[in-house]
Amino acid sequence: MLVIDHISKVYQVGGQNFTALHDISLEIEVGAFMSFVGPSGSGKTTIINLIGGLDQPTSGKILFQGKDLGKMDRNDLADYRRKNVGFIFQSYNLLPVYTVYENVLFPLLLNDIKESAVRDKVRNLVDQVGLSDQINKKPTELSGGQCQRVAIARALVKDPALVLADEPTANLDAENSYHILELMLKLNREFKAAFIFCTHDEKVTKYVRREVRLEDGFVEWDKSKQPEGHLI
Amino acid sequence: MIFKVALKNFARQGMRSVLNVVVTALAMVAVVFNLSLYNGFQDQAVHNMQATDVAGGHYRSQGFDLLSPMDWEDHTFEVPGSLASLPASEKAEVLLLQGQIFPNRRLFPVQLRGMEMEQTLLDLPFDKLKEWDKPAMDILPIIIGKQMAAKAHLSLGDTVVLRWRDKFGAVDALDAQVVDVVPLINPRIDEGVAWLRLDHLQQITQRPDEVSWVAVKEFKGEVDGKQFKSPEDLMQDILSLIRQDRRYAVVIWVILIFLAGISVFNTQYLNIFKRQREIGTLMAFGMPPGRIVRLFTLEGSLAAFSAVIVGLILGTVILGWFQSVGLDVSHLSESQIPIRENIYLQINPLEVIASVLVIVSIMILVAWFPVRKISKVDPTLALRGRAIT
């Protein structure tokens, strides 16, 4: 589904070149549940941003279903993200003036789908993440764990091929982190969307089926494994 | 969809939207108030001069110059029949000569202005002169303005020696009694002026039927070689002052609009600055840059149009209240600007529309500009809140 072919990413920092990723090549299959791990500055967020079409590689190709993201302009990349990618952010990034329902609905409106056609779908998804009782509340009225559940529902509502989660458990306590991970694992199975995390949270690594370790922009190792999560 | 989202965003931003709208509405009201006050001030000055002195113009003898008092007595004339036959509501005969009064034994040069009592063209509060029924042989009734009374230390009922020169150069004098001290809204007919009945002044100066000018309601055509001075000629100085004031008003208008623009820009820029992550999130959702710009510009436009409505309400209340009390400009009594009473706003619809349109345009522009900038940046920077620093 996604082929990362010899990509490098170089940033200009204080007038000097800083190489965040060195010649990375990977393939990610449909329905993957994987994570990029590594210390700060290893290139985890950079690779997530490149896969998500938020940034462009300096060299190399990223092919999504055969299409080269590097050849897309800003509008094509926006189109790619709108149709294929759901994002889950460390600090949730919920729209503050919207309710839970409206936050989850929003990506569908962006795809020009009428609310009346997807009302039940949105309610079901909110129900699946366990927030039926909070559906009319705004983010400021929710806990961190609840906000992250909204973010997950929002990422999945448009049935994306990819869900990219940047440190999804970093702002959560251990119990909430486990709940969120279990929820994502469950939804990964139901929705067949590939979940790609970048994290240095060991709790996440227990759940994933593939782990890619980055170190100074290089792939240190890439291994598939049996997850240790509660549902497995 | 974009409109619904913009409306929801705008309506739910609470205090941020309220402040944005109120600041803009107040800016609009301030600009309109300032312009209307200028208009009111200027219109009132012109109106006061016309109502008390200039009317629709003066017929004078050739060469008469108000600023050459030594020549006044050489430029009197008998009122031609065509002017004398005009109804009282269309002409006012005035005789102007030099004289002196001696309040507290001090010499005080005055303009002796004789005003035709039948006239109703000029709005002068001279009822006490009209009512005077004694002959002008023992004592002369005079009326003075409040400013004159203060300068000459004269009060109602005071008697003062009045001296003049008659047509044949003989100097004569008589007691004059101040029969009224009136508030005159035009300082040019107040300070240094003693008002008499025209018939009295003609009698004591031996100038029967002679006048210095005839104020008329409107131009009556050429009259016996008399010179017609239009209101524009007679108010040349005040009109030129007003033209100068207009230029200042434009400068003040530009400054006010600029300040309003800065204020709106500041609010809007801060708004965008605080919502960088939200913009980044919209980018991550796949909202195309053009749509983001449209969304935020639409929010700014909604704020602008709400400001017009709020401005209309605030303006009606504030300007309405102001119209009921006016602005007291009695402190101008020492100046030569012909306004002494309260002044009121003169609202020019075209100026209001132009000001509102300019402010609305600025608001939309400042809503568009920072978002246009941010929509071009790397989405990862917007997500981290570093697109605008």
Side-chain angles (χ1 to χ4, degrees):
Chain A
M1 176 185 64
L2 190 83
V3 178
I4 296 170
D5 186 16
H6 297 287
I7 59 161
S8 295
K9 179 68 185 175
V10 180
Y11 291 111
Q12 284 273 324
V13 181
Q16 294 201 325
N17 286 343
F18 168 74
T19 306
L21 293 174
H22 294 268
D23 196 29
I24 307 277
S25 292
L26 292 168
E27 280 191 31
I28 296 170
E29 69 279 14
V30 174
F33 200 72
M34 63 173 289
S35 67
F36 289 101
V37 295
S40 295
S42 59
K44 304 186 298 287
T45 300
T46 303
I47 200 163
I48 285 273
N49 286 341
L50 293 175
I51 293 169
L54 293 172
D55 207 351
Q56 293 279 36
T58 311
S59 63
K61 288 179 187 171
I62 299 176
L63 301 169
F64 175 77
Q65 294 172 346
K67 288 178 194 158
D68 187 354
L69 301 190
K71 289 186 177 162
M72 294 182 180
D73 63 16
R74 290 172 70 87
N75 285 324
D76 290 339
L77 283 172
D79 198 46
Y80 158 74
R81 291 193 297 270
R82 193 169 64 248
K83 289 176 179 158
N84 304 299
V85 187
F87 285 93
I88 300 170
F89 300 100
Q90 179 182 339
S91 48
Y92 329 125
N93 287 33
L94 299 179
L95 300 175
V97 297
Y98 290 179
T99 63
V100 168
Y101 173 81
E102 289 165 338
N103 263 289
V104 177
L105 173 70
F106 194 78
L108 296 175
L109 298 183
L110 280 183
N111 279 320
D112 293 325
I113 298 169
K114 291 209 164 160
E115 186 190 348
S116 55
V118 290
R119 199 170 285 143
D120 290 341
K121 180 182 184 176
V122 173
R123 288 183 183 280
N124 285 339
L125 201 50
V126 172
D127 188 37
Q128 275 186 276
V129 297
L131 290 174
S132 296
D133 297 344
Q134 324 287 331
I135 196 161
N136 292 318
K137 287 189 175 169
K138 289 187 181 161
T140 48
E141 300 170 278
L142 304 176
S143 68
Q146 287 172 325
C147 283
Q148 201 57 298
R149 283 163 188 267
V150 179
I152 292 166
R154 184 179 64 178
L156 285 167
V157 74
K158 59 189 176 188
D159 301 319
L162 286 170
V163 174
L164 303 176
D166 188 358
E167 304 279 8
T169 55
N171 284 348
L172 303 177
D173 58 30
E175 193 185 341
N176 263 315
S177 296
Y178 282 121
H179 284 311
I180 291 292
L181 287 164
E182 299 243 350
L183 176 67
M184 287 200 277
L185 192 54
K186 177 175 157 255
L187 295 172
N188 167 249
R189 285 176 172 175
E190 280 178 31
F191 285 82
K192 307 291 181 208
F195 275 66
I196 304 171
F197 304 95
C198 81
T199 185
H200 45 255
D201 183 351
E202 285 185 5
K203 293 187 285 298
V204 176
T205 59
K206 283 182 186 172
Y207 280 80
V208 294
R209 295 191 287 271
R210 182 180 173 191
E211 198 174 328
V212 179
R213 181 171 174 83
L214 298 174
E215 185 79 47
D216 294 332
F218 292 95
V219 174
E220 198 172 52
W221 40 255
D222 178 356
K223 64 181 180 191
S224 296
K225 62 188 187 73
Q226 278 296 320
E228 305 160 23
H230 297 187
L231 291 179
I232 310 301
Chain B
M1 175 257 176
I2 284 278
F3 182 76
K4 272 187 182 174
V5 172
L7 188 62
K8 206 177 274 183
N9 284 349
F10 172 68
R12 292 191 188 171
Q13 273 166 25
M15 192 51 76
R16 221 186 293 171
S17 291
V18 169
L19 286 177
N20 210 354
V21 167
V22 169
V23 164
T24 314
L26 285 175
M28 284 179 194
V29 173
V31 168
V32 170
F33 179 86
N34 176 65
L35 286 175
S36 305
L37 194 62
Y38 254 114
N39 292 341
F41 186 82
Q42 294 171 347
D43 285 4
Q44 216 154 316
V46 170
H47 170 266
N48 286 354
M49 281 201 58
Q50 289 202 279
T52 57
D53 185 19
V54 170
H58 289 179
Y59 281 97
R60 302 172 160 186
S61 73
Q62 298 282 353
F64 177 87
D65 184 356
L66 190 64
L67 300 176
S68 298
M70 303 301 286
D71 299 332
W72 290 349
E73 60 186 28
D74 299 329
H75 289 94
T76 58
F77 61 94
E78 286 191 18
V79 182
S82 59
L83 294 179
S85 61
L86 289 172
S89 60
E90 290 193 18
K91 59 113 181 163
E93 297 173 9
V94 181
L95 176 59
L96 175 68
L97 293 167
Q98 288 192 83
Q100 296 98 37
I101 56 173
F102 295 86
N104 304 314
R105 297 178 187 167
R106 286 185 299 116
L107 184 147
F108 198 103
V110 290
Q111 290 181 19
L112 300 174
R113 285 202 187 208
M115 172 58 69
E116 177 191 358
M117 287 294 101
E118 294 75 26
Q119 71 84 25
T120 54
L121 176 66
L122 299 175
D123 184 15
L124 295 166
F126 291 165
D127 291 345
K128 289 282 163 59
L129 283 182
K130 258 190 222 173
E131 291 162 10
W132 189 267
D133 54 1
K134 296 172 204 160
M137 294 178 70
D138 304 324
I139 195 159
L140 275 171
I142 60 169
I143 282 183
I144 55 174
K146 283 191 168 173
Q147 197 172 336
M148 169 70 175
K151 285 265 163 77
H153 303 289
L154 287 172
S155 310
L156 178 64
D158 285 355
T159 302
V160 66
V161 173
L162 173 67
R163 191 170 71 172
W164 67 90
R165 217 161 69 127
D166 70 15
K167 187 172 183 174
F168 307 102
V171 175
D172 206 347
L174 202 61
D175 280 343
Q177 186 183 347
V178 179
V179 294
D180 206 356
V181 176
V182 293
L184 290 170
I185 50 177
N186 177 359
R188 296 170 187 214
I189 57 167
D190 183 343
E191 195 178 342
V193 178
W195 288 94
L196 292 87
R197 288 169 60 134
L198 177 63
D199 56 333
H200 288 175
L201 188 57
Q202 285 172 336
Q203 183 188 332
I204 62 175
T205 58
Q206 300 188 52
R207 294 174 185 271
D209 303 325
E210 288 186 21
V211 296
S212 300
W213 66 76
V214 179
V216 288
K217 191 175 179 183
E218 59 203 4
F219 179 59
K220 300 289 178 188
E222 293 299 324
V223 178
D224 280 348
K226 295 284 169 290
Q227 186 182 24
F228 180 74
K229 286 276 186 183
S230 68
E232 288 72 32
D233 292 333
L234 295 169
M235 298 190 291
Q236 209 169 22
D237 54 344
I238 192 84
L239 290 175
S240 124
L241 189 71
I242 284 172
R243 274 194 290 277
Q244 187 62 36
D245 264 5
R246 281 264 167 217
R247 283 193 278 273
Y248 292 146
V250 169
V251 172
I252 288 174
W253 184 82
V254 169
I255 291 171
L256 274 175
I257 293 270
F258 182 71
L259 288 177
I262 295 251
S263 163
V264 171
F265 184 80
N266 181 46
T267 317
Q268 198 72 15
Y269 202 79
L270 198 66
N271 192 14
I272 301 294
F273 181 79
K274 287 188 79 172
R275 294 175 69 188
Q276 283 187 79
R277 280 169 188 271
E278 186 181 329
I279 293 170
T281 308
L282 295 177
M283 288 173 165
F285 285 171
M287 198 179 224
R291 224 165 165 190
I292 294 174
V293 173
R294 279 205 300 282
L295 174 67
F296 278 79
T297 308
L298 205 52
E299 281 185 37
S301 308
L302 285 170
F305 289 114
S306 305
V308 173
I309 294 167
V310 173
L312 199 64
I313 297 166
L314 283 178
T316 306
V317 173
I318 295 172
L319 305 189
W321 167 79
F322 187 86
Q323 287 299 65
S324 69
V325 294
L327 176 68
D328 179 12
V329 288
S330 51
H331 60 282
L332 293 178
S333 60
E334 295 300 312
S335 75
Q336 285 298 298
I337 297 168
I339 300 180
R340 294 266 182 84
E341 71 279 49
N342 285 2
I343 57 169
Y344 297 93
L345 305 175
Q346 184 78 38
I347 296 168
N348 179 338
L350 276 180
E351 286 177 347
V352 174
I353 291 168
S355 305
V356 168
L357 282 180
V358 168
I359 293 178
V360 165
S361 307
I362 286 175
M363 205 163 172
I364 294 172
L365 195 72
V366 298
W368 164 78
F369 183 73
V371 188
R372 182 187 145 274
K373 191 177 161 194
I374 207 171
S375 72
K376 286 183 177 171
V377 302
D378 188 338
T380 58
L381 283 179
L383 276 168
R384 280 181 283 164
R386 290 186 192 165
I388 301 177
T389 49

